[in-house]
Amino acid sequence: MKLLAFALLATVSFRNIAVEAGLKDKFPNGGTVSKQFIIETTGSGIAFIDYDNDGLLDLFVLSGDGGTNRLYHNEGHDKFRDVTSEIGLTSSGWAQGVCAGDYDNDGFTDLFVTYWGANHLYRNIGGKRFSDVTSTARLTQDRTRYNTGCAFVDIDNDGHLDLFVANYLKFDPATTPRPGSNPYCFYRSIAVACGPRGLPFDRNILYRNNGDGTFSDISQSSGIAAPFGHYGLSVLTADVNKDGLPDIYVACDQTPSLLYINQGHGKFEEEGVLRGVAFDQNGKAMSGMGLDAASYDGKTNLSIFRTNFSDEFETLYRNHGDGNFDEVTLDAGLGHNTSYVGWGTGFLDFDNSGWPGIALFNGHVFPEVEGLHIDVHYKDHAILYRNTGEGKFIDITKSAGPAFSEVHSSRGAAFGDIDNDGAVEIAVNNQTESPSLLKQSTLQPGHWTLLKLTGTRSNRSAIGARVTVSTGEHVQYQEVRSGGSYLSQSDLRLHFGLGPARHIDRIEIDWPSGIHQSLTNQPADRILDINETISPSKP
């Protein structure tokens, strides 16, 4: 059976299992009837990580002011237990983004959390507890900053994870205008929280890992701090031009988005306009929020999907293969949903067809819009697109199950297989509510594989590893990455749907160290643990 025909046979039904899973805590993020400041609108991320290496994904949920971030241990059988206090992650303040990676290569995944205020690096101590090592790692900041998206990324492939942090704008409640104070403080003639237009810009940050547990700020010398006049939110790392060096894309709000091309030797050039990913096809700067990248069209090129504001299209940039892009949103069938404000998003092969679809989660920034009684809502439903396998997507939201009819003001979203059954679950951080946990009611008929990569010469988390999976004539391509979606962290393992294929013909891995590794005739429907090695691998 052809993969395309196989994909269209599957039925999909997601339900929200958060309550029965034990995820009942609410996470405050400003007002629910009105919001006075922009800090209340941007929301927070969410993360899937296996912090204790027991093979099950745990869940880390960020909170705005008035609550604490919470870590939930995966107990198995779709149950989670709050371990925040016992593991040392109780916090306060306006948490924004989260990214994960083993920055010290000790075999345990660490967490970095961004804030309006001061960021925190939490070192994982043997899977037993987390220690705040921000100061000793030299990651403190000399002023209050509106830090947003982040990603661990090995910019020079030396085996040590560096750290990129996006910054949104300069915000001080004491000096920020109040709703209705100036033309930037209205939405459809109603007074709302001011910004981002009219608020001061800030610059993005890059920290180099010194290999001794400390970092150095190289934002200026690397070229990362050079661009000015951008409101940076989400971060996506990907080797877009296939030169073996990771590049960095930043979705920016109402300003041109940024694509930092890695020049090697710790240097970057910003080339978003030149490469076609700064604007939409009409040359307009969009209100970019969420990000993901995938080889959605059966080629080994990473194309970029971005969520935007209401009255804007979502944006799909198709990669030619050399890091130059065309905006193909309308041609791909993604131009129908324009009344939503999109945030967390991801490519995921929810039907294990071998063709990744797209999920995106929505919610307006202004609760006041409910008083307008129009088609724009503060709380709204998510959207699910199926990949037809012909370069196009179709909206299957209405038939995707009860979870896709629930309404929330959603922000961060993370993707991962919580029970290792080959079906990807989705965790969503909802403003001033408990999180959602979306799980399929029945397993899909397609086969699958989960690849857990461990670096030896490369960084232990294998972040930046590039993987090609071949089944017959069908080829899929992914990278291991930190951060992404909207201020969130998905499973570091790579999930591939295989459709009707009962085995994998070939797995090709290009490690950040430069080592190329090949495995042939691998079994389907299981997790494959792959360690970086020079020696030829056998099934």
Side-chain angles (χ1 to χ4, degrees), residues 131-166:
S131 177
D132 188 336
V133 296
T134 311
S135 179
T136 56
R138 301 179 189 170
L139 290 172
T140 55
Q141 297 176 331
D142 60 3
R143 61 179 172 86
T144 295
R145 301 188 68 140
Y146 201 149
N147 305 279
T148 50
C150 64
F152 285 102
V153 53
D154 189 352
I155 63 168
D156 50 8
N157 295 332
D158 67 351
H160 300 292
L161 289 173
D162 311 298
L163 180 61
F164 181 92
V165 182

Side-chain angles (χ1 to χ4, degrees), residues 5 19 43 50 80 82 89 126 141-142 194 235 251 258 326 343 393 430 462 464 482 493 517 521 524 539:
V19 172
D50 181 6
F80 289 81
D82 188 339
L89 283 173
Q141 297 176 331
D142 60 3
C194 302
V235 175
L258 302 168
D326 286 329
W343 301 89
F393 296 85
N430 302 312
S482 171
R493 302 174 301 180
Q517 191 170 349
N521 194 28

Side-chain angles (χ1 to χ4, degrees), residues 15 67 71 82 85 118 123 189 193 196 232 261 275 303 306 312 341 351 377 429 443 445 461 470 488 537:
R15 60 189 182 93
L71 180 65
D82 188 339
S85 297
R123 181 171 179 251
S189 300
I261 297 296
R275 292 181 178 269
S303 298
R306 188 182 69 190
E312 298 176 343
V341 178
D351 51 13
H377 302 286
N429 196 337
L443 290 179
S461 299
S470 301
S488 295
S537 300

